[in-house]
Amino acid sequence: MKYLSTTIPIPWYCQSRKFKVEIEKIFLNSWQLVGPESKIPNIGDTIKLTVTRQPIIITRVDQNKIKAYFNICQHRGGPIVSKDNCYKQFQCQYHGWIYTNEGKLKNARGFDKSELKKSDFDLKEINVSVWNGLIFINFDKRCNPLESIYEKLEKRINKRNFSSYQFYKRDSYNISCNWKIYMDNYLEGLHIPLVHPELNKTINYKSYKTEIHDQFSLQWCSINQKLNPYKNDSSEDLIAYYVTIFPNVILNIAPGRLQTNIVEPIDEKSCLVHFDYYFEQIDEKQVQRDLDFSDIIQREDIEICESVQASYEAKGFKNGIISKRYEPGILHFHSRLKEILL
């Protein structure tokens, strides 16, 4: 019998050559969440990070504007910034070229003014945008605006605003599985009763729904009021929203709390997942309860995802089938992957 709703080819979860294509065709052409805008509150504040193996810096140039650049001097490739700090200007750590916070070359040490045109050697800028206090970047100069995704999402989650939420901490987990296995696992709730017994008690599993939109998928369900580990008052409906923005951005939205997940691909058999926690109010007892509960769920997910990776590398499994009723999020995700990679 021929099945229409099948997974992507299983070798895609294990092949280094396919992984390299994914980086080039997917991650370098999509909006990537990097973290909270609150990390750079003052003019000159700058953070250094690596996104999709690209060295970048993000800096605040005025109260209402931030910019992102490759952390690469245009002289001979030296690093501009070696650590997070507040900079009045940037000086290359290799040969001392100086740039303004606007990325303009100011002083080309070792060269006379007549030898080069400074504007030809400005820092290479990267698209950057902020939504609800979260910073996103995109390496594709022709990308669609971030608003094209998040305006529709805001309407669906009742215009919840997280921009005033306080960033609390980041927890990161190294996982021995392909990034797509982690995404597949997140994109369906069918596994919850078996893999997550405590979560299954906390939510009303019978209310679990999945919605598919052009740029994102949304899973949601009601929360058991008696077992609710989140903010518990009458100001918000007791609904948990689980949002996936292609390819690797996850938003876990609960009353009084936003948890973002960045699923960072490392190689074809491993990924690093960053959990950032934001709270409407910092109540240490409540926060710790949330963190402990999230850690339990995450470790359960790690165990099953690593087991699936081992199965995909074995000889006893060739292809998977997707439930249109219970796994439409995976079907949507795999359709996008096939469009790009086939």
Side-chain angles (χ1 to χ4, degrees), residues 284-297:
E284 292 294 344
K285 186 176 180 180
Q286 178 65 46
V287 167
Q288 193 58 52
R289 184 183 177 195
D290 188 330
L291 296 178
D292 291 344
F293 185 66
S294 295
D295 185 65
I296 290 170
I297 297 169

Side-chain angles (χ1 to χ4, degrees), residues 220-239:
W220 61 273
C221 61
S222 59
I223 301 170
N224 185 320
Q225 188 167 8
K226 292 182 179 179
L227 298 175
N228 173 29
Y230 313 112
K231 173 186 172 185
N232 197 354
D233 61 31
S234 58
S235 64
E236 290 187 47
D237 294 334
L238 283 178
I239 300 292

Side-chain angles (χ1 to χ4, degrees), residues 70-197:
F70 286 97
N71 188 20
I72 301 173
C73 178
Q74 297 303 296
H75 172 211
R76 282 182 41 226
I80 298 297
V81 164
S82 59
K83 62 180 179 179
D84 297 355
N85 211 332
C86 185
Y87 296 91
K88 292 182 179 179
Q89 59 186 15
F90 301 123
Q91 183 173 37
C92 173
Q93 305 296 295
Y94 194 11
H95 298 104
W97 279 26
I98 295 175
Y99 296 86
T100 69
N101 286 60
E102 292 277 1
K104 305 298 183 183
L105 178 60
K106 184 177 179 181
N107 188 332
R109 180 173 173 266
F111 292 83
D112 293 332
K113 292 181 180 180
S114 61
E115 290 185 89
L116 53 78
K117 184 180 178 181
K118 288 182 181 179
S119 60
D120 289 339
F121 296 90
D122 292 339
L123 293 179
K124 300 301 182 184
E125 196 167 346
I126 301 165
N127 296 309
V128 64
S129 191
V130 176
W131 174 75
N132 258 318
L134 304 175
I135 300 174
F136 292 78
I137 64 163
N138 195 317
F139 296 104
D140 182 5
K141 294 184 180 296
R142 301 168 296 175
C143 65
N144 291 325
L146 185 68
E147 292 75 18
S148 66
I149 301 173
Y150 287 91
E151 282 181 358
K152 294 178 182 178
L153 174 58
E154 282 182 348
K155 292 177 182 178
R156 181 56 193 85
I157 60 175
N158 300 320
K159 296 184 178 180
R160 290 196 180 182
N161 190 324
F162 314 111
S163 58
S164 63
Y165 280 26
Q166 301 175 62
F167 172 69
Y168 186 76
K169 69 175 297 191
R170 168 173 286 191
D171 285 333
S172 298
Y173 298 84
N174 285 291
I175 308 177
S176 297
C177 75
N178 184 280
W179 70 277
K180 298 185 294 300
I181 288 178
Y182 191 89
M183 297 303 300
D184 289 348
N185 178 71
Y186 182 85
L187 281 162
E188 50 90 356
L190 188 61
H191 71 281
I192 290 175
L194 288 90
V195 177
H196 303 303

Side-chain angles (χ1 to χ4, degrees), residues 28 135 165 194 205 256 260 262 267 306 312 332 335-336 342:
L28 293 178
I135 300 174
Y165 280 26
L194 288 90
Y205 181 73
T260 68
I262 304 168
D267 57 35
E306 292 185 341
Y312 284 4
H332 180 247
S335 296
R336 292 290 304 276
L342 282 178

